[in-house]
């Protein structure tokens, strides 16, 4: 069944050079700020045609997908086993996995590894990439990018549930105070 989620984008004032590519961090969360929960499947059980359409629409744009190793391992395994439009598109897009343990070549097509200093690597990519950079999942990576001041847009998709004691992976625990400017709040069908 279809349910409603809220998509909110916040612009972070990082003094971005106009010639640099934008870095968009996408996070999916429960209303109480968890990225996962005990007994919760992907997308908190709200997967379906509306969410699939939202994902496809956001993958249509020219972009460089950036993810951590755990997200990479999950998504590459899913993409290898299914042939839906979203998985096919993710395979086509250029991808960057931040990892100190993985080495190239990687089995998932169009994927490179970023090793070494995160700030220097992402800053260099923002200067030379002709496409926006976009994280998917990867809470630890997103936290690091925000703390380094490299995220230009934090896009949250809130799912209509409260996990309470079943919540795992608090999306914003341990962050320093950070004021952001709201640039878009809308209702997204999920």
């Amino acid at each position: 069944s279809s349910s409603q989620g809220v998509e909110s984008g916040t612009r972070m004032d990082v003094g971005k050079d106009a010639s640099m590519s934008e870095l968009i961090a996408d996070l999916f969360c429960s209303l109480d700020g968890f990225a996962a929960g005990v007994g919760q499947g992907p997308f908190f059980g709200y997967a379906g045609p509306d969410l699939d359409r939202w994902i496809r629409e956001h993958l249509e744009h020219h972009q460089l997908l950036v993810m951590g190793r755990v997200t990479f391992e999950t998504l590459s395994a899913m993409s290898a086993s299914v042939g839906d439009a979203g998985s096919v598109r993710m395979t086509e897009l250029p991808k960057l996995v931040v990892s100190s343990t993985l080495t190239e070549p990687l089995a998932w097509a169009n994927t490179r590894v970023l090793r070494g200093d995160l700030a220097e690597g992402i800053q260099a990519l923002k200067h030379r990439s002709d496409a926006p950079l976009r994280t998917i999942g990867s809470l630890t990576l997103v936290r690091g990018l925000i703390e380094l001041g490299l995220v230009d847009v934090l896009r949250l998709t809130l799912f209509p549930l409260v996990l309470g004691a079943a919540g795992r992976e608090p999306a914003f625990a341990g962050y320093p105070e950070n004021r952001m400017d709201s640039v878009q709040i809308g209702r997204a069908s999920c």
Side-chain angles (χ1 to χ4, degrees):
S1 89
S2 177
S3 64
Q4 301 300 311
V6 175
E7 178 184 277
S8 174
T10 58
R11 183 157 306 276
M12 304 178 81
D13 183 14
V14 294
K16 181 178 164 310
D17 181 328
S19 65
M20 290 175 41
S21 291
E22 187 170 65
L23 188 138
I24 302 163
D26 269 327
L27 291 177
F28 286 3
C29 299
S30 64
L31 291 174
D32 52 346
F34 291 102
V38 174
Q40 298 295 317
F43 311 115
F44 302 103
Y46 288 101
D50 292 336
L51 182 59
D52 289 346
R53 183 178 60 252
W54 183 92
I55 291 169
R56 276 192 318 275
E57 287 172 2
H58 283 80
L59 287 175
E60 287 175 1
H61 306 285
H62 182 54
Q63 60 193 292
L64 170 62
L65 297 177
V66 180
M67 63 196 84
R69 181 192 52 82
V70 174
T71 299
F72 164 77
E73 289 173 347
T74 301
L75 292 178
S76 64
M78 284 176 24
S79 290
S81 64
V82 296
D84 65 278
S87 294
V88 170
R89 178 64 177 147
M90 284 183 61
T91 297
E92 294 171 350
L93 285 170
K95 294 167 290 299
L96 183 74
V97 58
V98 177
S99 174
S100 61
T101 58
L102 295 176
T103 56
E104 294 179 24
L106 297 170
W108 199 10
N110 303 313
T111 305
R112 303 293 311 262
V113 175
L114 174 64
R115 301 176 72 100
D117 186 83
L118 179 64
E120 288 178 14
I122 295 296
Q123 193 74 350
L125 273 172
K126 289 177 80 170
H127 279 287
R128 72 173 185 254
S129 178
D130 65 340
L133 285 63
R134 176 180 169 214
T135 69
I136 48 176
S138 305
L139 280 179
T140 303
L141 174 61
V142 170
R143 177 176 288 123
L145 293 169
I146 288 173
E147 288 173 354
L148 291 167
L150 296 171
V151 173
D152 300 299
V153 175
L154 176 60
R155 184 168 47 200
L156 301 175
T157 299
L158 300 176
F159 287 84
L161 80 155
V162 174
L163 292 169
R168 298 294 180 267
E169 299 183 43
F172 305 106
Y175 274 76
E177 181 177 331
N178 193 337
R179 296 221 177 253
M180 302 172 199
D181 296 326
S182 177
V183 293
Q184 176 187 14
I185 298 176
R187 184 172 159 169
S189 181
C190 296

